[in-house]
Amino acid sequence: MEKLKIQEIISFTKGIKIQETKNQDITKISIDSREVDQDTLFIPIIGEKFDGHTFMESAYNLGCRNFLCDENHEFNKENINLIKVKDTKIALGHIAKGYKEKFNLTTIGITGSVGKTSTKDIISSVLSQKYNTLKTQGNQNNEIGLPKTLLNINKKTQIAVIEMAMDKKGDLNYLTNIVHPNIAIITNIGMSHIMNFKNQEGIFYSKMEIANSLTSKDTLIVNGDDKYLKTLKNKQHDYKLLTYGFEENNDIYCKDYKIEETSSFTCVYKDKEYKFKIASPAKHNIGNALIAIMLGIDLGLTKEQIEEGLLNIEMTKNRLELVKTDKYTIINDTYNANYDSVMSAISVLNNYKTRKVAILGDILELGGYSEEIHRKLGKDITCDLLISIGKESKYTYEEAVKKGIKAYYFLTKEEFYDKIKQILKPEDTILVKASRGMELDKLVEKLK
């Protein structure tokens, strides 16, 4: 990050300066007391398990001399800058917003029930062929991670590609007020976090919060094949609306494609056909690539630059990551899961000609919908062999067996470890997919 003055921190947060010292320059902002120095601003966040205020002493002992604290805490030390705010987590967001507004850059905000991380990776890979591009790292897409991402902007940054997550109504509105994207993207409306909404329509309206700050100069890009998002085509908007997908009535659409480990496809944009290849065996990533192609063309990239970006994507770890061992081809998609992303991953698995094995763990955060959705998975999936792991995945196993799929059920991944050599065969193609809390990434390591 570039330097900030203490007075700017006070202005951004509308905080009250309690103490001050001579050093007024901030070169780093941290919520981790172990990662501080003299010029760091330490922001103690109150989380579910820890109150960051209890680590202010540790930060001070490591040389930190710049602190925020909330109005319910005190911190009395010599030679420090101390700013008191109402809520330190919200103050972090305000600082990130103020900092971002110091720079003249294009900001792209991405949300959606499925595909926002891969879309972020693909867009960043393409646009970075011409522009200095910053992107969200890992899962830094919430009220803490997103501000931390924005604080990585510097004078050279031309485009920031920001992933924006939500659990409940209002989350995206809060993040949008921080980011103020020039270009907003919604990949689809699925069933993620359905336990916090009455229905899928409620998810749609909450996803649309990303458009709350858009003006006539801004653009909203949506999946025009999506049941809910396609309804936007027939409405008036204050912003420019663009759509993408596989249906011909979209602004950019995929005309034909061939799925391989490096897939090829033809798309049409502004009445002109383009042929591209993408380093992905997934149809949905062709859809995501359409957004990057559209943005690339509109932002002045050559076809060669766009294709270079599509062929050299650095995907976020554990997202449809292909791992080849002496025995197996593993599709590691353990980053997270919901119904839609599982079905997308299954479609990737089914492109392979070897025996297709799906190792599926529980989808978490479904509340009262859990049994219904896990059973629906069992009814809808296609594979040669299913291995279900977890309490809720028993429902997937039961429905798969009913339709004739060979299947095994284990309550824990450890129970499966003892049976791996008996169940799996050399040359199997194996998909591993579950919510992150199931820790099936450890199973992938075991398979390796």
Side-chain angles (χ1 to χ4, degrees):
M1 65 174 279
E2 306 290 343
K3 284 184 181 179
L4 284 173
K5 297 288 186 183
I6 282 292
Q7 192 54 49
E8 289 182 287
I9 301 294
I10 294 170
S11 175
F12 295 156
T13 62
K14 295 182 171 56
I16 300 171
K17 182 165 60 178
I18 304 299
Q19 289 178 248
E20 68 176 310
T21 187
K22 292 180 181 179
N23 182 13
Q24 299 290 305
D25 288 337
I26 303 295
T27 60
K28 179 181 177 182
I29 293 174
S30 179
I31 64 170
D32 189 333
S33 62
R34 299 165 296 183
E35 300 176 353
V36 299
D37 58 27
Q38 180 178 320
D39 300 320
T40 302
L41 173 67
F42 177 61
I43 302 180
I45 303 294
I46 300 176
E48 293 180 6
K49 297 180 179 179
F50 301 105
D51 182 347
H53 292 85
T54 62
F55 299 103
M56 293 176 73
E57 183 83 26
S58 298
Y60 180 83
N61 291 337
L62 286 174
C64 184
R65 293 298 180 263
N66 308 287
F67 298 88
L68 255 58
C69 76
D70 72 19
E71 53 194 15
N72 298 314
H73 292 81
E74 302 293 335
F75 190 61
N76 299 309
K77 293 289 182 181
E78 294 182 358
N79 301 318
I80 66 169
N81 290 306
L82 178 64
I83 302 168
K84 188 160 283 195
V85 296
K86 187 172 182 180
D87 185 306
T88 53
K89 188 187 294 184
I90 291 175
L92 173 63
H94 287 161
I95 293 169
K97 177 181 179 180
Y99 178 77
K100 178 251 179 187
E101 290 175 353
K102 289 164 64 74
F103 301 90
N104 181 24
L105 74 164
T106 298
T107 310
I108 301 172
I110 304 171
T111 193
S113 297
V114 182
K116 52 185 177 290
T117 301
S118 53
T119 300
K120 168 204 69 181
D121 291 336
I122 294 168
I123 290 173
S124 301
S125 183
V126 168
L127 298 185
S128 65
Q129 301 303 311
K130 181 175 181 178
Y131 299 100
N132 187 304
T133 304
L134 170 76
K135 73 171 183 176
T136 301
Q137 295 297 318
N139 63 339
Q140 298 288 301
N141 56 15
N142 59 16
E143 72 274 21
I144 294 175
L146 183 146
K148 289 168 67 177
T149 298
L150 293 180
L151 290 169
N152 287 321
I153 292 170
N154 60 44
K155 291 176 183 177
K156 294 181 180 180
T157 307
Q158 295 170 291
I159 295 177
V161 184
I162 307 298
E163 183 177 336
M164 303 167 70
M166 74 167 207
D167 291 332
K168 59 187 182 304
K169 181 179 178 182
D171 284 354
L172 274 177
N173 187 56
Y174 175 74
L175 297 179
T176 298
N177 285 333
I178 295 173
V179 176
H180 274 268
N182 309 105
I183 300 167
I185 297 166
I186 308 177
T187 60
N188 47 45
I189 306 300
M191 300 288 283
S192 298
H193 310 294
I194 188 69
M195 64 184 290
N196 296 327
F197 300 89
K198 289 183 179 179
N199 48 40
Q200 215 169 341
E201 190 173 7
I203 295 174
F204 166 60
Y205 287 119
S206 291
K207 292 291 184 188
M208 283 299 298
E209 291 173 5
I210 198 173
N212 285 354
S213 68
L214 299 181
T215 69
S216 58
K217 297 178 181 179
D218 302 323
T219 302
L220 176 66
I221 300 173
V222 302
N223 182 342
D225 297 345
D226 182 271
K227 172 183 173 182
Y228 294 92
L229 294 171
K230 67 170 53 178
T231 64
L232 298 174
K233 298 177 188 178
N234 303 319
K235 298 178 181 178
Q236 292 291 321
H237 310 285
D238 295 331
Y239 45 81
K240 182 180 180 181
L241 178 73
L242 293 172
T243 63
Y244 70 93
F246 290 82
E247 297 173 5
E248 288 188 19
N249 61 344
N250 289 301
D251 292 291
I252 186 169
Y253 66 92
C254 179
K255 186 176 181 181
D256 58 64
Y257 59 90
K258 184 178 181 181
I259 300 296
E260 297 175 304
E261 288 194 2
T262 296
S263 301
S264 56
F265 62 99
T266 303
C267 64
V268 180
Y269 184 48
K270 295 181 178 177
D271 298 321
K272 187 175 179 180
E273 282 194 8
Y274 300 86
K275 292 184 182 296
F276 287 105
K277 293 182 178 180
I278 182 171
S280 172
K283 179 184 176 183
H284 63 266
N285 277 339
I286 292 176
N288 297 335
L290 296 176
I291 311 172
I293 293 166
M294 185 160 54
L295 290 173
I297 292 170
D298 290 349
L299 292 172
L301 275 73
T302 65
K303 181 181 184 296
E304 291 71 26
Q305 286 174 319
I306 295 171
E307 183 145 77
E308 185 72 15
L310 293 177
L311 289 173
N312 293 281
I313 305 163
E314 292 185 11
M315 287 291 194
T316 299
K317 186 174 172 59
N318 300 340
R319 287 282 188 170
L320 289 178
E321 179 184 7
L322 287 179
V323 181
K324 295 198 174 184
T325 72
D326 294 340
K327 290 184 178 181
Y328 316 122
T329 296
I330 304 167
I331 304 171
N332 177 9
D333 202 20
T334 56
Y335 184 86
N336 219 335
N338 54 48
Y339 170 83
D340 304 279
S341 67
V342 173
M343 292 306 299
S344 292
I346 289 289
S347 70
V348 174
L349 175 65
N350 283 325
N351 289 323
Y352 287 81
K353 294 180 170 60
T354 55
R355 190 172 75 143
K356 295 171 275 290
V357 180
I359 302 178
L360 304 181
D362 288 355
I363 301 173
L364 306 177
E365 299 182 2
L366 293 177
Y369 292 89
S370 186
E371 180 176 346
E372 176 186 344
I373 291 175
H374 281 91
R375 287 195 182 280
K376 181 172 172 56
L377 267 183
K379 293 173 183 176
D380 294 346
I381 61 171
T382 53
C383 58
D384 297 317
L385 175 66
L386 169 68
I387 298 165
S388 291
I389 299 175
K391 181 181 176 183
E392 300 301 303
S393 290
K394 186 174 183 180
Y395 303 124
T396 305
Y397 162 79
E398 289 173 353
E399 296 300 330
V401 170
K402 285 181 187 177
K403 62 186 276 187
I405 292 178
K406 184 178 180 181
Y408 295 89
Y409 171 72
F410 301 94
L411 183 61
T412 68
K413 57 184 177 293
E414 289 77 15
E415 290 178 11
F416 173 57
Y417 289 166
D418 296 332
K419 304 289 184 181
I420 287 177
K421 291 181 180 179
Q422 296 170 236
I423 295 174
L424 300 181
K425 298 178 180 178
E427 299 187 1
D428 279 346
T429 300
I430 306 165
L431 167 67
V432 187
K433 179 78 170 166
S435 285
R436 193 179 306 134
M438 295 298 292
E439 297 184 337
L440 289 199
D441 54 317
K442 295 179 181 178
L443 192 155
V444 172
E445 293 303 316
K446 189 76 173 177
L447 292 176
K448 289 182 188 179

